[in-house]
Amino acid sequence: QVQLVESGGGLVQAGGSLRLSCVVSGSSFRLNAMGWYRQAPGKEREPVATISSSGNTAYYPDSVRDRFTISRDNAKNTVYLQMNSLEPEDTAVYYCKLFGGYPTFRDYWGQGTQVTVSS
């Protein structure tokens, strides 16, 4: 039973920081690439960071590059998103994603955590 449980969202002023956490259970976590996505009201869900299974490589879109950092601790089955220099445009529900592999190739999502950045 694969489950992703997220925490760390909240209300922060522009320029502030938040650290999101996602704990994975029921999966061979060390074998899975992971990602963080966000969805603002009226917009489609978009990726903000992805990381390889080993943690050696990560990718970011231009909108968050140099402000957000994704990391993982395979011993703790946890992936993190450190968000610095937050802007009101970062306000969204943030979701953790597990990229599925053999045998089902099914992806899994967390429940989402709200991040609100005030101006």
Side-chain angles (χ1 to χ4, degrees), residues 80-92:
Y80 306 94
L81 184 68
Q82 179 67 46
M83 303 184 292
N84 298 327
S85 301
L86 284 163
E87 305 166 353
E89 293 74 21
D90 296 318
T91 296

Side-chain angles (χ1 to χ4, degrees), residues 50-67:
T50 57
I51 189 168
S52 63
S53 59
S54 68
N56 289 337
T57 58
Y59 298 91
Y60 308 91
D62 290 342
S63 60
V64 307
R65 188 173 291 114
D66 300 326
R67 299 189 299 118

Side-chain angles (χ1 to χ4, degrees), residues 2 6-7 9-10 14 28-29 35-36 40 42 45 61 66 68 72 79 81 91 98 103-104 111 118:
V2 177
E6 304 170 2
S7 61
S28 297
F29 177 77
W36 286 96
R45 191 172 299 183
D66 300 326
F68 291 10
R72 65 191 296 160
V79 62
L81 184 68
T91 296
L98 181 150
T104 66
Q111 77 285 355
S118 62

Side-chain angles (χ1 to χ4, degrees), residues 24 27-35 50-59 70-79 97-101:
V24 178
S27 174
S28 297
F29 177 77
R30 65 181 181 84
L31 302 179
N32 298 110
M34 299 290 297
T50 57
I51 189 168
S52 63
S53 59
S54 68
N56 289 337
T57 58
Y59 298 91
I70 188 171
S71 62
R72 65 191 296 160
D73 186 339
N74 285 351
K76 297 181 178 180
N77 283 14
T78 302
V79 62
K97 178 184 179 180
L98 181 150
F99 291 85

